[in-house]
Amino acid sequence: MAEEEEVILLDFWASMFGMRTRIALAEKGVKYDYREQDLWNKSSLLLQMNPVHKKIPVLIHHGKPVCESLFQLQYIDETWPGNKYSLLPSDPYKRALAKFWADFIDKKVNVAARRIWATKGEAQEASKELLEILKTLESELGDKDYFGDQTFGYVDIALIGFYSWFGVYDKYGNINIESECPKLIAWAKRCLQRESVAKALPESEKVTTFVSERRKKLELD
Amino acid sequence: MAETEEVKLLGIWASPFSRRIEMALKLKGIKYDYVEEKLENKSSLLLALNPVHKKVPVLVHNGKTILESLVILEYIDETWPHNPILPQDPYERSKARFFGKLIDEQIINVGFVSMAKADEKGREVLAEQARELIMYLEKELVGKDYFGGKNVGFLDLVAGSMIPFCLERGWEGIGLEVITEEKFPEYKRWVKNLEKVEIVRDCIPPREKHVEHMNYMAERVRSS
């Protein structure tokens, strides 16, 4: 029992950020206690472990919190280095490139994506922006199987969660990501063949239903 | 360490992001060529090296381009491991990264917006928000000379370049007192410690020129 509680993940099923950490822990074969959080009625544990942002995911290891999903990925890589393989490359330059692209994803994809479904009147502009951003990522991927060169890694993990939200962006942004970014979709399907990813990502329809309920509550529909 | 190491830094004298890279390079004793960029007239070199964001700093090491100051700091630390910048322990590293992001995304935002506000009440609201955020850093400094413990580290470079030697100068220019001795004694002690460190002193923008520059930038935002 003590061993299982050594690693705790405070998370929310639809969070593309939480998905990153779930995937990383699974890839490394780390057992953990997954605790679903109610974001509209935050638990005292969440507030205690992430007092600054009060956000998920929070990775708790030996009682100490690690916040921010990308920093959790790095923490997992550094703490369990021997397990299976590295999430980040070992070469400093390749690591820097990986961190750059993950940072790009955080700064660009998320902002544009949220504007598509969570605002009124910004959907069209935001969806154009999102497509541009996804095309930039697609060209970075090039002809590689994964962003991490020949192996699935950090940048793949940083981006893949958003795939479960593509249906939402298509619907509310009135776009078709598959037709605009076919290589990216092929990459996503390739990633989904991994057990860690298939288990971490929710069904697209479930996410779309969730968003439609959120929009009603936000009085956008 | 090869004799033929080529290190070039593209930066802007007033940018806390490029200043912190200079501090890191000096801390590691790395020789580098510095290229001063202008915000309003970016060089073709900068645009070629950073087409995605078009920003400084850009580090070029033996022909390889590294972008984003926090990424550059980690790259420098990994490439030249002596005089380590990041803590060794993974948990401490994650905390340093967490606060680095807080500084570069939230504290800077609140700081610049506070300077750009024309009305006193608006400024005070934002000043209070800045204080709330900086209080987290205050707590981290208890019992330490620097964020890095006994020596200057990652968070000292990130927070140092941004807060005392950038934001505070901007606040000084508009006569806004955000960080007081009374509420932030650890912070004040830390700044005094930082000022004694040669690599920090050598890499901060000249005060008067900087205050003037921050005023000018804030005025531009207010009038836009």
Side-chain angles (χ1 to χ4, degrees), chain B residues 34-51:
Chain B
Y34 178 77
V35 177
E36 178 70 29
E37 289 287 335
K38 287 186 172 45
L39 263 182
E40 288 106 30
N41 192 13
K42 291 169 182 176
S43 72
S44 48
L45 177 67
L46 174 60
L47 298 174
L49 292 175
N50 191 358

Side-chain angles (χ1 to χ4, degrees), chain A residues 10 16 27 45 109 122 206 210 219:
Chain A
L10 305 183
M16 57 286 262
E27 288 285 330
L45 183 62
V109 177
E122 292 179 50
K206 198 177 170 195
F210 162 71
E219 291 175 4

